[in-house]
Amino acid sequence: MGTSSKAATPSPAARARKQADASPWARAPERERQREAKRNAVLSTAAQMFNERGFHATSLDDIAARLHVTKPTLYYYVKNKDEILLECVRKGLHMTLDGIEASRQAGGNAVDQLRACMEVYADIVAQPFGMCLIRVGDEEVPEPSRTELRRMKSEIDHAFRRLVAQGVEEGSLAACDPKMTAFVIAGALSWIGRWYQPGGEYSAAEVARQCIATLMDGVLRRP
């Protein structure tokens, strides 16, 4: 006589897992990744608009419109426009400091490291966050964040000073005042962030190459 078998009844725990898998909402880690990606999109778009129009001439409504969302949606990712600016400038500074440190860690003599740091700096100030750092700056950022950002800017200046001083000591750079020379280098490269326009006559790489060549080699014709 044959026996009939019945499908096993799922346990309550198994049913709960199945219901969770069928949820239209992503799990917590994925939701956090999505939120971070959207927050970065808010910051990137804001940086571009600050660069185009200026900080005061750009409203949260403008940023929301370019992202095709409502203004209240932005408040899920940022508190206000001041926080957006703070994060944009902070990102530009972190990118610069990380790039300079990576260039120094790559090794080489002082001139090699100085040139690599200049290339990093010139590249970043032609990008949205770096450009925002130069065009808007930290003047609009309220305290105590302004002090923090200025401390980070000082680290960039001192990195250039150390490399110039090291180059003079090695004999690979002409005798000079490291502080003044660092100001000239950083000032000249920073100005790229003010006048450079993507899609113009020169690419960002070509602008960086020519500016660095002028700073390193000068403009006098040599015999």
Side-chain angles (χ1 to χ4, degrees):
M1 181 176 178
T3 59
S4 61
S5 60
K6 294 183 178 180
T9 302
S11 67
R15 287 198 299 271
R17 284 195 298 271
K18 185 175 181 180
Q19 290 171 354
D21 291 340
S23 171
W25 280 270
R27 295 179 183 274
E30 179 59 26
R31 289 201 304 272
E32 185 57 33
R33 282 192 292 271
Q34 291 175 0
R35 182 182 184 280
E36 188 61 23
K38 291 175 181 177
R39 186 173 189 273
N40 285 334
V42 170
L43 297 178
S44 179
T45 298
Q48 292 172 4
M49 298 189 75
F50 292 160
N51 295 335
E52 294 167 5
R53 306 181 181 187
F55 175 69
H56 291 294
T58 303
S59 68
L60 288 178
D61 287 309
D62 295 329
I63 297 169
R66 184 168 291 190
L67 288 165
H68 307 295
V69 298
T70 62
K71 180 179 176 179
T73 300
L74 297 182
Y75 291 118
Y76 181 66
Y77 305 101
V78 293
K79 294 178 182 177
N80 49 46
K81 197 170 77 165
D82 284 343
E83 183 186 54
I84 293 177
L85 176 60
L86 170 62
E87 290 304 313
C88 287
V89 174
R90 183 180 280 148
K91 276 181 174 289
L93 283 167
H94 277 300
M95 289 168 63
T96 304
L97 288 170
D98 290 347
I100 287 175
E101 182 58 25
S103 298
R104 293 179 64 245
Q105 291 295 330
N109 61 29
V111 171
D112 292 336
Q113 291 184 43
L114 178 60
R115 187 183 295 275
C117 288
M118 291 167 70
E119 289 171 351
V120 165
Y121 193 62
D123 175 60
I124 290 171
V125 298
Q127 297 180 37
F129 290 123
M131 199 175 285
C132 186
L133 168 64
I134 302 303
R135 293 190 180 185
V136 182
D138 55 33
E139 292 80 6
E140 305 294 343
V141 176
E143 291 289 6
S145 298
R146 187 187 307 162
T147 298
E148 174 203 349
L149 297 178
R150 289 182 174 173
R151 176 190 59 76
M152 294 171 69
K153 280 186 174 181
S154 179
E155 290 181 31
I156 296 172
D157 170 59
H158 281 84
F160 279 117
R161 287 193 208 183
R162 285 192 296 270
L163 288 173
V164 171
Q166 184 181 338
V168 172
E169 184 178 348
E170 290 177 355
S172 54
L173 292 178
C176 62
D177 180 337
K179 178 179 179 179
M180 184 60 65
T181 303
F183 281 163
V184 170
I185 291 172
L189 296 179
S190 293
W191 207 250
I192 294 173
R194 290 195 176 273
W195 58 259
Y196 173 70
Q197 293 295 333
E201 181 179 358
Y202 299 103
S203 67
E206 179 61 19
V207 168
R209 187 191 68 77
Q210 290 202 39
C211 287
I212 292 170
T214 301
L215 287 167
M216 296 295 284
D217 303 328
V219 294
L220 293 179
R221 184 174 182 178
R222 303 181 187 281

